[in-house]
Amino acid sequence: VAVRVNGVMLNLGVDTGCQGSGVLTEAGARKAGIEVAFTLPTMGNDGRGETSYGYIESFEGGGAVWKDFHMAIMPLDGMDIDGLMGADLLFGRSFYMDLRNKVMILGKIPDTSSAHEVPIYSRGGHCGVNIEVEGVKVPMIIDSGATKSYMSSLKFRGETEFRGFLPVATVRGTSLTRVQVCKIKSLRIGGAPLTGVEFIRDEEHNLLGDDFLRAHPIAVDMASRRMWLFEPQATDQPGK
């Protein structure tokens, strides 16, 4: 999404799974004239480290404006963007996302009278939603930064189908992981069938990723704990 950061146009990814206000790359920060304001200690897979933060005077996008906050400054390897817009900004206001047609509205949502309403909740700063997997409730996180949807082996113990191997980056390099797709007979969300989603079995994550968002344009209003699922739009604009 194109946004204006401190008066400078930047191209940011939209990541509902990114905690905090988001991330700027070092190149993105330089474009907007943003310098490091402070650093904080962190602990990750590589051990102890530090994360730098820059001051954002104004952040404008999609008709919405945010002011006076800080964003992390760090590399985003393999991503040709200036940064990521994170959960604190996205869920601080309502928004509409149609990933298939590359449409996003920040700060407001279109008419929801023909959409399917689903209750949501805040979970660690993320957007949580319960789905039903063969009649059993499974909590999910909506993560637009995940290319696929995932379900943990603790939540689904049924049959899976082997789909090959995928390379995964680790602290020691790149390894191959088996892709096991869950063979689920019944999926529902908010009492309605959940379609267009295929879950890869994972050791720990329960995520609704980009396949979910491509199949279902969504509107989210975290303040009222509501999400709406729209029918896929034939045009590149949401219904009025």
Side-chain angles (χ1 to χ4, degrees):
V1 63
V3 298
R4 194 177 296 274
V5 180
N6 289 1
V8 177
M9 292 300 299
L10 297 180
N11 181 34
L12 301 191
V14 177
D15 189 352
T16 60
C18 175
Q19 288 185 313
S21 57
V23 173
L24 289 178
T25 64
E26 293 181 351
R30 284 196 300 270
K31 289 180 186 178
I34 296 171
E35 299 180 351
V36 174
F38 60 88
T39 60
L40 291 176
T42 58
M43 176 64 75
N45 292 332
D46 295 323
R48 294 182 182 274
E50 288 188 337
T51 298
S52 300
Y53 290 83
Y55 175 64
I56 309 297
E57 183 177 351
S58 65
F59 186 107
E60 305 172 55
V65 180
W66 293 261
K67 290 183 177 293
D68 191 27
F69 63 96
H70 291 85
M71 290 184 79
I73 301 174
M74 63 177 63
L76 293 174
D77 295 336
M79 298 186 185
D80 188 21
I81 52 179
D82 296 312
L84 296 172
M85 189 175 182
D88 285 2
L89 297 183
L90 290 166
F91 298 130
R93 305 187 183 189
S94 57
F95 68 87
Y96 171 89
M97 178 188 293
D98 180 354
L99 191 60
R100 177 183 294 181
N101 288 309
K102 300 180 180 179
V103 174
M104 186 158 194
I105 302 173
L106 300 171
K108 59 182 180 180
I109 57 178
D111 178 23
T112 60
S113 58
S114 62
H116 178 62
E117 184 176 323
V118 179
I120 57 175
Y121 55 90
S122 178
R123 182 179 176 186
H126 299 308
C127 179
V129 62
N130 292 323
I131 67 171
E132 290 182 25
V133 180
E134 298 180 354
V136 178
K137 183 177 74 174
V138 176
M140 288 277 158
I141 295 296
I142 298 175
D143 188 353
S144 62
T147 57
K148 301 287 185 180
S149 293
Y150 296 88
M151 189 176 301
S152 72
S153 54
L154 289 176
K155 297 299 182 181
F156 183 76
R157 299 179 180 274
E159 292 184 26
T160 60
E161 179 182 333
F162 176 63
R163 294 283 183 86
F165 294 91
L166 281 178
V168 175
T170 69
V171 294
R172 295 181 178 86
T174 301
S175 63
L176 294 176
T177 185
R178 291 173 61 90
V179 177
Q180 301 281 157
V181 175
C182 300
K183 298 175 70 173
I184 300 172
K185 298 176 182 178
S186 172
L187 276 173
R188 301 182 72 83
I189 183 169
L194 175 56
T195 59
V197 182
E198 187 175 70
F199 286 98
I200 296 174
R201 190 160 72 176
D202 188 77
E203 291 301 316
E204 56 179 319
H205 297 103
N206 294 293
L207 303 175
L208 285 169
D210 278 1
D211 55 346
F212 166 73
L213 294 170
R214 290 184 183 280
H216 304 278
I218 66 169
V220 174
D221 181 18
M222 185 58 76
S224 65
R225 300 297 192 265
R226 292 184 294 174
M227 176 175 71
W228 294 266
L229 303 183
F230 293 79
E231 290 297 321
Q233 299 291 324
T235 64
D236 61 353
Q237 292 295 331
K240 301 296 183 182

